[in-house]
Amino acid sequence: MSETTVPVTRTAASAAPVIAESPTPRGRRARIALRTLQVVLALFYVIASALPKLIAHPSAAEGFDRMGWGSAGMYTIGVLELAGGIALLIPVLQSVAAVALSGLMVGAFVVQLTYFDGENAATPLILIVPLALIAWARRGHNADLLRLVRRRA
């Protein structure tokens, strides 16, 4: 099997440097702030969100039983949140992880509205904002991921 490389062409929209990738002091501060945000969100998803589901904490189990999803649904969501939290820290997966976790948060919002009468429905919406920022700021890594996947195929 032969390997081929695909030349990367930049459009006018992607030609402008992203602030978080600029070598200026402002860019350095933006990189540090963005990385800090990623670490905080990763810790949130792994410790505060996934862990209670994966250890079947009574508060998590009660909510999933109330929805009728049981332990299978609870463990599935817990694994997805754990994987997303870890992927937020892996450079080539950061943007994709942020988009995937945003999708999970849209689902959490809908669940909060339908099963829990909107109680805590703002939390998933609030989390989508920094996830969208990460997805946008780290979008350059998507090309790296695509090249990696194509090389493996």
Side-chain angles (χ1 to χ4, degrees):
M1 184 177 242
S2 66
E3 287 188 27
T4 59
T5 58
V6 178
V8 177
T9 58
R10 297 185 75 123
T11 62
S14 66
V18 177
I19 291 174
E21 297 189 17
S22 170
T24 65
R26 180 177 176 205
R28 183 175 186 279
R29 288 190 304 271
R31 277 193 308 280
I32 291 169
L34 188 61
R35 190 64 174 167
T36 302
L37 178 63
Q38 287 175 242
V39 169
V40 168
L41 281 175
L43 288 172
F44 169 79
Y45 277 106
V46 170
I47 296 171
S49 194
L51 187 63
K53 293 172 184 78
L54 295 175
I55 65 171
H57 191 272
S59 64
E62 178 187 317
F64 281 89
D65 287 340
R66 185 173 167 190
M67 291 184 294
W69 294 9
S71 61
M74 179 178 62
Y75 290 129
T76 301
I77 299 297
V79 166
L80 290 172
E81 290 175 341
L82 177 66
I86 292 169
L88 279 175
L89 302 176
I90 301 172
V92 75
L93 298 175
Q94 294 166 346
S95 181
V96 173
V99 170
L101 286 171
S102 294
L104 199 60
M105 291 302 98
V106 169
F109 173 72
V110 171
V111 165
Q112 290 294 329
L113 287 180
T114 56
Y115 288 101
F116 300 103
D117 300 323
E119 181 182 328
N120 299 321
T123 304
L125 292 179
I126 292 168
L127 288 169
I128 289 174
V129 174
L131 288 169
L133 174 67
I134 292 167
W136 177 80
R138 301 295 191 194
R139 69 191 182 278
H141 293 289
N142 293 340
D144 298 335
L145 179 61
L146 187 58
R147 275 192 296 276
L148 184 64
V149 169
R150 285 183 178 163
R151 193 177 325 150
R152 299 270 183 199

